[in-house]
Protein backbone atom coordinates (compact mmCIF):
# COMPACT_ATOMS: atom_id res chain seq x y z
CA UNK A 1 0.00 0.00 0.00
CA UNK A 2 1.31 3.39 -0.97
CA UNK A 3 2.13 5.83 1.81
CA UNK A 4 -0.46 8.63 2.12
CA UNK A 5 0.61 11.77 3.84
CA UNK A 6 -2.89 13.22 3.67
CA UNK A 7 -5.90 10.88 3.67
CA UNK A 8 -9.20 12.48 2.63
CA UNK A 9 -12.51 10.64 2.39
CA UNK A 10 -14.98 12.68 0.34
CA UNK A 11 -18.68 12.53 1.07
CA UNK A 12 -21.72 14.48 0.01
CA UNK A 13 -24.73 15.54 2.01
CA UNK A 14 -26.99 17.23 -0.53
CA UNK A 15 -30.09 19.01 0.70
CA UNK A 16 -33.27 18.05 -1.11
CA UNK A 17 -36.03 20.66 -0.63
CA UNK A 18 -39.49 19.43 0.23
CA UNK A 19 -41.90 19.11 -2.66
CA UNK A 20 -45.66 18.99 -2.82
CA UNK A 21 -48.24 18.01 -5.36
CA UNK A 22 -49.93 20.90 -7.13
CA UNK A 23 -53.31 19.19 -7.43
CA UNK A 24 -54.27 16.91 -4.56
CA UNK A 25 -58.00 17.19 -3.83
CA UNK A 26 -60.07 16.72 -0.68
CA UNK A 27 -63.76 16.01 -1.29
CA UNK A 28 -66.07 16.28 1.71
CA UNK A 29 -69.46 14.62 1.40
CA UNK A 30 -72.04 12.07 2.43
CA UNK A 31 -71.42 8.37 1.94
CA UNK A 32 -74.15 5.76 1.77
CA UNK A 33 -77.50 6.29 3.51
CA UNK A 34 -77.28 5.75 7.25
CA UNK A 35 -73.47 5.97 7.35
CA UNK A 36 -71.56 7.99 9.94
CA UNK A 37 -68.54 10.24 9.55
CA UNK A 38 -65.21 8.49 9.10
CA UNK A 39 -61.50 9.45 9.01
CA UNK A 40 -60.15 10.83 5.72
CA UNK A 41 -58.96 8.27 3.17
CA UNK A 42 -56.84 8.88 0.08
CA UNK A 43 -57.46 7.25 -3.30
CA UNK A 44 -55.62 6.96 -6.58
CA UNK A 45 -58.55 5.51 -8.52
CA UNK A 46 -62.36 5.86 -8.47
CA UNK A 47 -62.82 2.12 -8.03
CA UNK A 48 -60.94 2.20 -4.74
CA UNK A 49 -63.29 4.92 -3.51
CA UNK A 50 -66.34 2.90 -4.57
CA UNK A 51 -65.04 -0.08 -2.59
CA UNK A 52 -64.44 2.08 0.49
CA UNK A 53 -67.73 4.00 0.42
CA UNK A 54 -70.33 1.35 -0.34
CA UNK A 55 -74.05 2.11 -0.62
CA UNK A 56 -75.76 2.25 2.74
CA UNK A 57 -79.07 0.87 3.90
CA UNK A 58 -81.90 1.49 6.33
CA UNK A 59 -85.30 0.00 7.08
CA UNK A 60 -88.93 0.96 6.70
CA UNK A 61 -90.28 2.63 9.82
CA UNK A 62 -93.92 1.90 8.88
CA UNK A 63 -95.90 -0.38 6.63
CA UNK A 64 -96.22 0.68 2.98
CA UNK A 65 -99.25 -0.38 0.97
CA UNK A 66 -99.23 -1.35 -2.69
CA UNK A 67 -99.89 1.73 -4.81
CA UNK A 68 -98.32 4.09 -2.26
CA UNK A 69 -96.31 6.95 -3.74
CA UNK A 70 -94.06 7.17 -0.71
CA UNK A 71 -92.61 5.23 2.24
CA UNK A 72 -91.43 6.06 5.74
CA UNK A 73 -87.78 5.16 6.43
CA UNK A 74 -85.78 5.20 9.63
CA UNK A 75 -83.19 7.65 8.22
CA UNK A 76 -83.28 10.32 5.54
CA UNK A 77 -82.36 9.47 1.96
CA UNK A 78 -81.06 12.23 -0.37
CA UNK A 79 -83.17 13.12 -3.37
CA UNK A 80 -82.19 11.42 -6.66
CA UNK A 81 -80.99 8.32 -4.78
CA UNK A 82 -82.04 4.99 -6.25
CA UNK A 83 -83.03 2.45 -3.59
CA UNK A 84 -84.25 -1.13 -3.48
CA UNK A 85 -87.24 -1.59 -1.16
CA UNK A 86 -87.66 -5.07 0.26
CA UNK A 87 -85.78 -8.26 -0.62
CA UNK A 88 -86.19 -11.17 -2.97
CA UNK A 89 -88.73 -11.27 -5.78
CA UNK A 90 -90.97 -8.73 -4.02
CA UNK A 91 -88.25 -6.08 -3.93
CA UNK A 92 -88.71 -2.92 -6.00
CA UNK A 93 -86.25 -0.35 -7.27
CA UNK A 94 -87.39 3.24 -6.98
CA UNK A 95 -85.80 6.70 -7.07
CA UNK A 96 -86.37 9.05 -4.15
CA UNK A 97 -87.51 12.46 -5.36
CA UNK A 98 -87.89 14.13 -1.95
CA UNK A 99 -87.37 13.43 1.74
CA UNK A 100 -89.11 15.18 4.63
CA UNK A 101 -88.99 14.66 8.37
CA UNK A 102 -91.93 12.75 9.88
CA UNK A 103 -92.99 11.61 13.35
CA UNK A 104 -91.87 8.03 12.76
CA UNK A 105 -88.77 8.84 10.71
CA UNK A 106 -88.53 10.35 7.23
CA UNK A 107 -91.12 10.33 4.48
CA UNK A 108 -89.55 9.43 1.14
CA UNK A 109 -91.42 10.45 -2.00
CA UNK A 110 -90.88 7.93 -4.82
CA UNK A 111 -90.76 8.50 -8.58
CA UNK A 112 -93.40 5.79 -9.17
CA UNK A 113 -95.91 4.08 -6.89
CA UNK A 114 -95.16 0.76 -5.24
CA UNK A 115 -96.38 -2.41 -6.92
CA UNK A 116 -96.23 -4.51 -3.75
CA UNK A 117 -96.98 -4.04 -0.07
CA UNK A 118 -94.02 -3.85 2.32
CA UNK A 119 -93.99 -4.19 6.07
CA UNK A 120 -92.19 -2.17 8.71
CA UNK A 121 -88.62 -3.39 9.07
CA UNK A 122 -88.16 -4.25 5.39
CA UNK A 123 -84.75 -3.27 4.05
CA UNK A 124 -84.22 -0.09 2.04
CA UNK A 125 -80.89 -0.55 0.26
CA UNK A 126 -79.05 2.08 -1.73
CA UNK A 127 -78.53 1.08 -5.36
CA UNK A 128 -77.03 4.24 -6.86
CA UNK A 129 -73.60 5.61 -6.03
CA UNK A 130 -73.49 7.92 -3.03
CA UNK A 131 -72.45 11.59 -3.13
CA UNK A 132 -68.84 10.95 -2.16
CA UNK A 133 -68.28 8.17 -4.71
CA UNK A 134 -69.91 10.19 -7.50
CA UNK A 135 -67.81 13.25 -6.71
CA UNK A 136 -64.52 11.32 -6.53
CA UNK A 137 -65.41 9.60 -9.79
CA UNK A 138 -66.15 12.96 -11.45
CA UNK A 139 -62.74 14.29 -10.38
CA UNK A 140 -60.87 11.25 -11.67
CA UNK A 141 -62.85 11.29 -14.93
CA UNK A 142 -60.98 14.34 -16.22
CA UNK A 143 -58.06 14.28 -18.63
CA UNK A 144 -55.40 14.71 -17.39
CA UNK A 145 -56.73 13.36 -14.08
CA UNK A 146 -55.62 14.23 -10.56
CA UNK A 147 -52.99 12.06 -8.91
CA UNK A 148 -54.67 11.68 -5.55
CA UNK A 149 -58.10 12.45 -4.13
CA UNK A 150 -58.97 12.36 -0.44
CA UNK A 151 -62.45 11.41 0.71
CA UNK A 152 -63.78 12.95 3.92
CA UNK A 153 -67.06 11.30 4.84
CA UNK A 154 -69.65 13.17 6.93
CA UNK A 155 -72.70 11.76 8.66
CA UNK A 156 -75.36 11.11 6.02
CA UNK A 157 -78.24 12.42 8.14
CA UNK A 158 -76.71 15.26 10.12
CA UNK A 159 -73.39 16.26 8.51
CA UNK A 160 -71.03 18.28 10.68
CA UNK A 161 -69.32 20.38 8.02
CA UNK A 162 -67.23 22.30 10.55
CA UNK A 163 -65.70 19.11 11.95
CA UNK A 164 -65.09 17.76 8.44
CA UNK A 165 -63.32 20.96 7.40
CA UNK A 166 -61.21 20.79 10.56
CA UNK A 167 -60.14 17.26 9.61
CA UNK A 168 -59.41 18.45 6.09
CA UNK A 169 -57.19 21.20 7.48
CA UNK A 170 -54.69 18.53 8.55
CA UNK A 171 -54.37 17.09 5.04
CA UNK A 172 -51.73 18.02 2.48
CA UNK A 173 -54.16 19.08 -0.25
CA UNK A 174 -54.46 22.10 -2.50
CA UNK A 175 -58.11 21.90 -3.60
CA UNK A 176 -61.21 21.36 -1.43
CA UNK A 177 -64.74 20.51 -2.62
CA UNK A 178 -68.08 19.78 -0.97
CA UNK A 179 -69.69 16.85 -2.77
CA UNK A 180 -73.15 17.44 -4.25
CA UNK A 181 -73.53 20.78 -2.49
CA UNK A 182 -74.61 23.31 -5.11
CA UNK A 183 -74.54 26.98 -4.17
CA UNK A 184 -78.14 28.10 -3.65
CA UNK A 185 -80.03 29.86 -0.90
CA UNK A 186 -80.32 26.64 1.12
CA UNK A 187 -76.60 25.78 0.90
CA UNK A 188 -75.15 29.31 0.96
CA UNK A 189 -74.08 29.02 4.60
CA UNK A 190 -72.45 25.61 4.07
CA UNK A 191 -70.53 26.75 0.97
CA UNK A 192 -69.58 29.86 2.95
CA UNK A 193 -67.89 27.56 5.48
CA UNK A 194 -65.78 26.14 2.65
CA UNK A 195 -64.82 29.65 1.51
CA UNK A 196 -63.85 30.65 5.03
CA UNK A 197 -61.81 27.48 5.44
CA UNK A 198 -59.68 27.95 2.30
CA UNK A 199 -59.20 31.64 3.08
CA UNK A 200 -58.11 31.26 6.70
CA UNK A 201 -56.25 27.93 6.83
CA UNK A 202 -52.97 28.43 8.68
CA UNK A 203 -49.60 26.75 8.33
CA UNK A 204 -46.79 26.87 5.77
CA UNK A 205 -47.66 24.74 2.75
CA UNK A 206 -51.33 24.43 3.65
CA UNK A 207 -52.54 27.11 1.19
CA UNK A 208 -55.49 25.89 -0.85
CA UNK A 209 -58.48 26.86 -2.99
CA UNK A 210 -62.13 25.84 -2.90
CA UNK A 211 -64.41 24.94 -5.80
CA UNK A 212 -68.21 25.21 -5.72
CA UNK A 213 -70.86 24.76 -8.38
CA UNK A 214 -73.94 26.91 -8.75
CA UNK A 215 -77.34 25.25 -8.59
CA UNK A 216 -78.08 24.24 -12.17
CA UNK A 217 -81.77 25.08 -11.75
CA UNK A 218 -81.08 28.76 -11.00
CA UNK A 219 -81.49 31.53 -13.53
CA UNK A 220 -78.39 33.56 -14.33
CA UNK A 221 -79.75 36.51 -12.32
CA UNK A 222 -80.34 34.36 -9.25
CA UNK A 223 -76.95 32.67 -9.62
CA UNK A 224 -74.88 35.86 -9.83
CA UNK A 225 -76.63 37.23 -6.76
CA UNK A 226 -75.11 34.39 -4.73
CA UNK A 227 -71.52 35.53 -5.33
CA UNK A 228 -71.49 37.65 -2.21
CA UNK A 229 -70.69 37.54 1.48
CA UNK A 230 -68.52 34.69 2.74
CA UNK A 231 -68.40 33.04 -0.69
CA UNK A 232 -66.83 36.04 -2.45
CA UNK A 233 -63.20 35.11 -1.84
CA UNK A 234 -60.17 35.13 -4.12
CA UNK A 235 -59.52 31.51 -3.16
CA UNK A 236 -62.90 30.35 -4.41
CA UNK A 237 -63.82 29.14 -7.91
CA UNK A 238 -67.54 29.26 -8.78
CA UNK A 239 -68.90 27.35 -11.79
CA UNK A 240 -72.29 27.69 -13.49
CA UNK A 241 -73.62 24.66 -15.36
CA UNK A 242 -76.65 22.74 -16.60
CA UNK A 243 -75.48 19.24 -15.73
CA UNK A 244 -76.71 16.43 -13.44
CA UNK A 245 -73.08 15.63 -12.54
CA UNK A 246 -71.04 16.97 -9.66
CA UNK A 247 -69.50 19.82 -11.65
CA UNK A 248 -67.57 21.18 -8.65
CA UNK A 249 -65.67 17.91 -8.30
CA UNK A 250 -65.18 17.70 -12.07
CA UNK A 251 -63.78 21.24 -12.16
CA UNK A 252 -61.46 20.41 -9.26
CA UNK A 253 -60.25 17.43 -11.30
CA UNK A 254 -59.54 19.73 -14.25
CA UNK A 255 -57.59 22.16 -12.06
CA UNK A 256 -55.60 19.35 -10.46
CA UNK A 257 -54.48 18.02 -13.82
CA UNK A 258 -52.53 21.14 -14.76
CA UNK A 259 -49.55 22.96 -13.27
CA UNK A 260 -50.51 26.02 -11.21
CA UNK A 261 -49.54 28.62 -13.82
CA UNK A 262 -51.68 27.04 -16.55
CA UNK A 263 -54.88 29.03 -17.14
CA UNK A 264 -58.21 27.23 -16.78
CA UNK A 265 -59.61 29.01 -19.81
CA UNK A 266 -60.89 26.61 -22.48
CA UNK A 267 -59.63 23.52 -20.68
CA UNK A 268 -61.82 20.48 -21.46
CA UNK A 269 -64.14 19.15 -18.79
CA UNK A 270 -65.81 15.74 -18.91
CA UNK A 271 -69.42 16.03 -17.74
CA UNK A 272 -72.87 15.41 -19.19
CA UNK A 273 -74.49 18.67 -20.29
CA UNK A 274 -76.76 19.06 -23.29
CA UNK A 275 -78.30 22.46 -22.56
CA UNK A 276 -76.01 25.39 -23.34
CA UNK A 277 -76.00 28.91 -21.91
CA UNK A 278 -77.20 31.83 -23.98
CA UNK A 279 -74.90 34.75 -24.77
CA UNK A 280 -76.81 36.99 -22.37
CA UNK A 281 -76.38 34.46 -19.54
CA UNK A 282 -72.66 34.17 -20.26
CA UNK A 283 -72.31 37.96 -20.19
CA UNK A 284 -73.85 38.03 -16.70
CA UNK A 285 -71.56 35.27 -15.42
CA UNK A 286 -68.53 36.96 -16.97
CA UNK A 287 -69.36 40.27 -15.31
CA UNK A 288 -69.82 38.71 -11.87
CA UNK A 289 -66.73 36.45 -11.88
CA UNK A 290 -68.61 33.18 -12.21
CA UNK A 291 -67.10 30.61 -14.55
CA UNK A 292 -69.35 28.73 -16.94
CA UNK A 293 -69.31 25.62 -19.09
CA UNK A 294 -69.20 26.28 -22.83
CA UNK A 295 -68.81 24.54 -26.18
CA UNK A 296 -67.26 27.00 -28.68
CA UNK A 297 -68.14 26.32 -32.30
CA UNK A 298 -64.54 27.16 -33.28
CA UNK A 299 -63.31 24.06 -31.44
CA UNK A 300 -64.04 20.76 -33.21
CA UNK A 301 -65.93 17.90 -31.63
CA UNK A 302 -68.58 19.84 -29.66
CA UNK A 303 -66.77 19.02 -26.42
CA UNK A 304 -67.32 20.97 -23.20
CA UNK A 305 -64.81 23.48 -21.86
CA UNK A 306 -64.42 25.87 -18.96
CA UNK A 307 -65.42 29.30 -20.21
CA UNK A 308 -63.05 31.22 -17.91
CA UNK A 309 -60.65 30.89 -14.99
CA UNK A 310 -61.96 33.51 -12.57
CA UNK A 311 -61.69 33.66 -8.82
CA UNK A 312 -64.85 34.76 -7.02
CA UNK A 313 -63.23 38.03 -5.92
CA UNK A 314 -60.84 40.31 -7.79
CA UNK A 315 -60.58 43.08 -5.19
CA UNK A 316 -56.99 42.10 -4.33
CA UNK A 317 -55.93 42.07 -7.98
CA UNK A 318 -56.15 38.27 -8.17
CA UNK A 319 -58.84 37.92 -10.79
CA UNK A 320 -57.66 34.56 -12.12
CA UNK A 321 -57.19 31.39 -10.12
CA UNK A 322 -53.85 30.56 -11.78
CA UNK A 323 -52.43 33.70 -10.12
CA UNK A 324 -53.45 32.43 -6.69
CA UNK A 325 -52.15 28.92 -7.37
CA UNK A 326 -48.84 30.15 -8.81
CA UNK A 327 -48.27 32.43 -5.81
CA UNK A 328 -48.93 29.49 -3.50
CA UNK A 329 -46.57 27.26 -5.46
CA UNK A 330 -43.72 29.79 -5.60
CA UNK A 331 -44.29 30.62 -1.94
CA UNK A 332 -43.92 26.97 -0.99
CA UNK A 333 -40.83 26.43 -3.15
CA UNK A 334 -39.03 29.43 -1.65
CA UNK A 335 -39.85 28.44 1.92
CA UNK A 336 -38.78 24.84 1.28
CA UNK A 337 -35.42 26.03 -0.05
CA UNK A 338 -34.84 28.63 2.69
CA UNK A 339 -35.59 26.31 5.59
CA UNK A 340 -31.98 25.00 5.38
CA UNK A 341 -30.76 28.52 6.15
CA UNK A 342 -32.68 28.75 9.41
CA UNK A 343 -30.36 28.12 12.33
CA UNK A 344 -27.30 27.68 10.10
CA UNK A 345 -26.50 30.80 8.10
CA UNK A 346 -25.30 33.97 9.80
CA UNK A 347 -26.44 37.56 9.49
CA UNK A 348 -23.30 38.48 7.60
CA UNK A 349 -22.32 39.28 4.03
CA UNK A 350 -21.63 35.61 3.30
CA UNK A 351 -24.75 34.39 5.06
CA UNK A 352 -27.16 36.80 3.39
CA UNK A 353 -25.60 36.25 -0.02
CA UNK A 354 -26.18 32.53 0.50
CA UNK A 355 -29.82 33.29 1.28
CA UNK A 356 -30.15 35.25 -1.95
CA UNK A 357 -28.53 32.38 -3.86
CA UNK A 358 -31.05 29.91 -2.42
CA UNK A 359 -33.92 32.06 -3.66
CA UNK A 360 -32.31 32.41 -7.07
CA UNK A 361 -31.91 28.63 -7.29
CA UNK A 362 -35.70 28.34 -6.96
CA UNK A 363 -36.77 31.16 -9.25
CA UNK A 364 -34.22 30.87 -12.06
CA UNK A 365 -35.61 27.49 -13.27
CA UNK A 366 -39.12 28.97 -13.26
CA UNK A 367 -37.89 31.68 -15.63
CA UNK A 368 -36.43 29.11 -18.00
CA UNK A 369 -39.71 27.15 -17.85
CA UNK A 370 -41.62 30.37 -18.68
CA UNK A 371 -43.62 30.16 -15.47
CA UNK A 372 -42.44 33.66 -14.57
CA UNK A 373 -40.82 36.38 -16.66
CA UNK A 374 -38.14 37.64 -14.28
CA UNK A 375 -37.44 38.32 -10.63
CA UNK A 376 -35.37 40.46 -8.30
CA UNK A 377 -34.19 39.69 -4.78
CA UNK A 378 -33.47 42.60 -2.42
CA UNK A 379 -32.06 42.20 1.08
CA UNK A 380 -31.71 45.76 2.51
CA UNK A 381 -29.37 44.64 5.27
CA UNK A 382 -26.98 43.15 2.70
CA UNK A 383 -26.59 46.58 1.13
CA UNK A 384 -25.39 47.93 4.47
CA UNK A 385 -23.06 44.98 5.05
CA UNK A 386 -21.45 45.61 1.65
CA UNK A 387 -20.40 49.07 2.77
CA UNK A 388 -17.11 49.81 4.49
CA UNK A 389 -17.85 49.75 8.25
CA UNK A 390 -16.12 53.14 8.57
CA UNK A 391 -18.63 54.66 6.16
CA UNK A 392 -21.73 53.50 8.04
CA UNK A 393 -23.83 56.16 9.71
CA UNK A 394 -24.89 55.71 13.31
CA UNK A 395 -28.40 54.77 12.18
CA UNK A 396 -27.08 52.20 9.71
CA UNK A 397 -24.76 50.65 12.27
CA UNK A 398 -27.65 50.43 14.72
CA UNK A 399 -29.81 48.74 12.06
CA UNK A 400 -27.17 46.03 11.59
CA UNK A 401 -26.78 45.65 15.36
CA UNK A 402 -30.56 45.37 15.88
CA UNK A 403 -30.89 42.78 13.10
CA UNK A 404 -28.17 40.65 14.66
CA UNK A 405 -29.67 41.01 18.13
CA UNK A 406 -33.14 40.05 16.90
CA UNK A 407 -31.65 37.45 14.52
CA UNK A 408 -33.99 38.60 11.82
CA UNK A 409 -33.34 39.81 8.27
CA UNK A 410 -35.93 41.23 5.87
CA UNK A 411 -35.99 40.30 2.20
CA UNK A 412 -38.15 41.45 -0.72
CA UNK A 413 -38.71 39.23 -3.75
CA UNK A 414 -40.36 40.76 -6.78
CA UNK A 415 -41.64 38.35 -9.42
CA UNK A 416 -43.01 39.35 -12.82
CA UNK A 417 -45.78 36.97 -13.88
CA UNK A 418 -47.07 37.00 -17.44
CA UNK A 419 -50.55 35.51 -17.54
CA UNK A 420 -51.91 33.53 -20.47
CA UNK A 421 -53.74 35.32 -23.28
CA UNK A 422 -57.46 35.40 -22.48
CA UNK A 423 -58.63 37.92 -25.05
CA UNK A 424 -57.37 38.99 -28.48
CA UNK A 425 -58.51 42.04 -30.42
CA UNK A 426 -58.03 41.48 -34.15
CA UNK A 427 -58.58 44.04 -36.88
CA UNK A 428 -59.18 42.35 -40.20
CA UNK A 429 -58.96 44.85 -43.03
CA UNK A 430 -59.77 44.03 -46.67
CA UNK A 431 -58.57 46.43 -49.33
CA UNK A 432 -59.34 46.43 -53.02
Amino acid sequence: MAVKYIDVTASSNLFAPAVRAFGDIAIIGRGGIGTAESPPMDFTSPSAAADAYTGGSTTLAADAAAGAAGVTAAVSVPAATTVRIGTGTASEVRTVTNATSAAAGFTLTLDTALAHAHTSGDAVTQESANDLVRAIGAAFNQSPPPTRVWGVQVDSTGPDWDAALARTGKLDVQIVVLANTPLNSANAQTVGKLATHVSTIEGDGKERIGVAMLDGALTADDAIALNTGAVQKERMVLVAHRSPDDVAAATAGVIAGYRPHISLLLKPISIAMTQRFSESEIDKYDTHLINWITSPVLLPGQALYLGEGYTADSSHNKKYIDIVRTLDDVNFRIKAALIQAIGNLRISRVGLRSVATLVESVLAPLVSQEVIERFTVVIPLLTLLDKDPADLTAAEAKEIKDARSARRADMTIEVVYAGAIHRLAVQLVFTG
Side-chain angles (χ1 to χ4, degrees), residues 91-154:
S91 65
E92 306 177 60
V93 176
R94 295 290 185 271
T95 299
V96 177
T97 59
N98 190 36
T100 56
S101 180
F106 295 86
T107 299
L108 310 180
T109 304
L110 308 176
D111 58 339
T112 56
L114 295 173
H116 306 284
H118 299 274
T119 59
S120 177
D122 276 2
V124 179
T125 308
Q126 185 169 353
E127 293 277 303
S128 59
N130 56 63
D131 288 352
L132 204 45
V133 169
R134 290 179 63 243
I136 293 174
F140 274 119
N141 196 37
Q142 307 310 308
S143 181
T147 303
R148 181 170 62 166
V149 177
W150 287 81
V152 184
Q153 182 173 262
V154 297

Side-chain angles (χ1 to χ4, degrees), residues 323-343:
I323 297 176
V324 177
R325 297 186 71 220
T326 301
L327 279 172
D328 289 347
D329 185 55
V330 173
N331 185 8
F332 180 88
R333 289 170 182 263
I334 291 174
K335 289 178 178 179
L338 288 177
I339 194 68
Q340 62 180 306
I342 303 300

Side-chain angles (χ1 to χ4, degrees), residues 142 211-214 216 237-252 254-255 264-279 281-283 285-286 290-296 299 302-310:
Q142 307 310 308
V211 183
M213 61 181 175
L214 277 296
V237 176
L238 303 180
V239 187
H241 67 97
R242 292 284 187 266
S243 172
D245 298 332
D246 196 322
V247 176
T251 303
V254 173
I255 297 172
L264 291 185
L265 177 60
L266 295 182
K267 296 304 180 288
I269 182 170
S270 180
I271 57 173
M273 180 172 144
T274 56
Q275 184 182 354
R276 304 294 191 261
F277 291 115
S278 67
E279 294 300 325
E281 289 176 316
I282 290 176
D283 286 342
Y285 294 138
D286 185 61
I290 293 176
N291 303 287
W292 63 93
I293 307 299
T294 187
S295 180
L299 294 175
Q302 297 183 334
L304 297 173
Y305 300 84
L306 287 168
E308 252 301 348
Y310 291 140

